[in-house]
Every structure is written in structure tokens, then in C-alpha cells.
Amino acid sequence: YLASKCEYIFGSDTGYFALPGWNFRKPILYVNFSQLELIEPWMDTWIMIFKKYWLIKEKRFLKISEILKSGYGRFNKSEEFKEAGVELVNNTKEEIVEVNDEMIQRIQGNWEENEENLYLQEKFWRNFKDSKLHGNFSGKIGSKFLKDNQNLIN
């Protein structure tokens, strides 16, 4: 009942959140999305920010293309990441607040899109074109998150 009445769904990639999005056509705000290759880009009202993948041995964050090529983006158990030498880094409180503010602005019709964000969105989604898991890329990555993490995009 609550899912049918809410303005939008806020959560992580635990599975439940897609149901109200599909069933009631509710906007979804995903934070701390961990299975990057399984990201859900289909609805234009869905916004996501994802965990960053820290390569422990090299002391650096992996680029999106590296995550997809390595298969790390499909891992769903902490043991898999540990064995691969990858640590998932949660979104910061600031990143979560910023993307929530963006969602509210978009829902209220106050969001002003700009050329830089459109370019970064397109550049991000270009990494997924070869994946058989995706089709339509309508969802968004949080604008500030994407701008602050351009180094992860090829």
C-alpha cells in the first residue's frame, strides 16, 4: 500500500525497490548500488549512485570499463570481492544527500539540465553498450556524483 502512495522509492539494490517502480511507475533513487553490471537503466525517473570499487593492491579506484571487463560488476558476495582484491566503498553522506536533493528537484519540476551533465550521462552509459543485460538507457546517474567522479568514466 505505501509503495503505491509514496512520491518516490529510496534505497539500495536489495531487490524490493524495483517492484514499486515497475508496478506503480514510481521514481526510484538507488544509493550504494553494488552490482554495477546489473544496474537498472530502463526508467527515466530512476536515479542511481553506485559504490566505488577500490583495487587494494594498486591503491586506486577501478574505472567503469575495468569493472565491466573484469566481471566484478556481477559479484554479489563479499567473498568474491575479497578474493579479487577489491573493496567496495560506500557512498558518502554528502553524496546521498546531494542525489536525494536532485531527485526532489526532478520530481517537483525544478531540475535544470545542463550540457555538461548530458554529456557525462551519455559518456557513462556508453560503457554498457556491449552488455547483453541492457537495452534502453533512460535512467540517470546522480549529476553531482557523476561530475565528481569523472575519472571513473573512460
Side-chain angles (χ1 to χ4, degrees), residues 66-122:
E66 294 174 309
I67 295 166
L68 299 177
K69 282 181 188 171
S70 66
Y72 302 155
R74 290 185 181 205
F75 288 179
N76 62 6
K77 295 182 180 131
S78 58
E79 298 84 35
E80 292 174 301
F81 289 104
K82 190 174 183 176
E83 287 174 21
V86 173
E87 180 182 329
L88 292 179
V89 178
N90 287 331
N91 299 132
T92 66
K93 291 176 188 175
E94 293 79 17
E95 289 170 335
I96 294 170
V97 168
E98 288 164 353
V99 75
N100 188 58
D101 288 345
E102 178 180 342
M103 175 61 93
I104 291 168
Q105 287 180 43
R106 286 182 182 275
I107 288 171
Q108 294 175 346
N110 298 325
W111 180 255
E112 291 187 27
E113 200 63 81
N114 63 57
E115 291 299 317
E116 180 184 28
N117 182 50
L118 292 172
Y119 169 75
L120 291 173
Q121 294 288 337
E122 192 274 325

Side-chain angles (χ1 to χ4, degrees), residues 44 46 49 57 82 87 102 105 131 148:
D44 64 356
W46 294 7
I49 59 175
K57 206 178 244 184
K82 190 174 183 176
E87 180 182 329
E102 178 180 342
Q105 287 180 43
S131 175
D148 291 348

Side-chain angles (χ1 to χ4, degrees), residues 36-50:
L36 193 58
E37 193 166 347
L38 305 179
I39 202 164
E40 299 170 341
W42 309 293
M43 304 292 280
D44 64 356
T45 57
W46 294 7
I47 303 176
M48 298 146 258
I49 59 175
F50 51 88

Side-chain angles (χ1 to χ4, degrees), residues 33 35-41 48 50 53 63-65 67-69 73-74 120-137 141 146 152-153:
F33 202 95
Q35 290 180 285
L36 193 58
E37 193 166 347
L38 305 179
I39 202 164
E40 299 170 341
M48 298 146 258
F50 51 88
Y53 291 54
K63 294 184 179 293
I64 303 302
S65 61
I67 295 166
L68 299 177
K69 282 181 188 171
R74 290 185 181 205
L120 291 173
Q121 294 288 337
E122 192 274 325
K123 192 174 178 184
F124 174 83
W125 289 113
R126 225 182 300 151
N127 286 286
F128 292 85
K129 297 239 188 259
D130 292 333
S131 175
K132 293 179 180 166
L133 300 172
H134 301 94
N136 181 27
F137 297 96
I141 302 301
L146 203 51
L152 303 179
I153 309 169

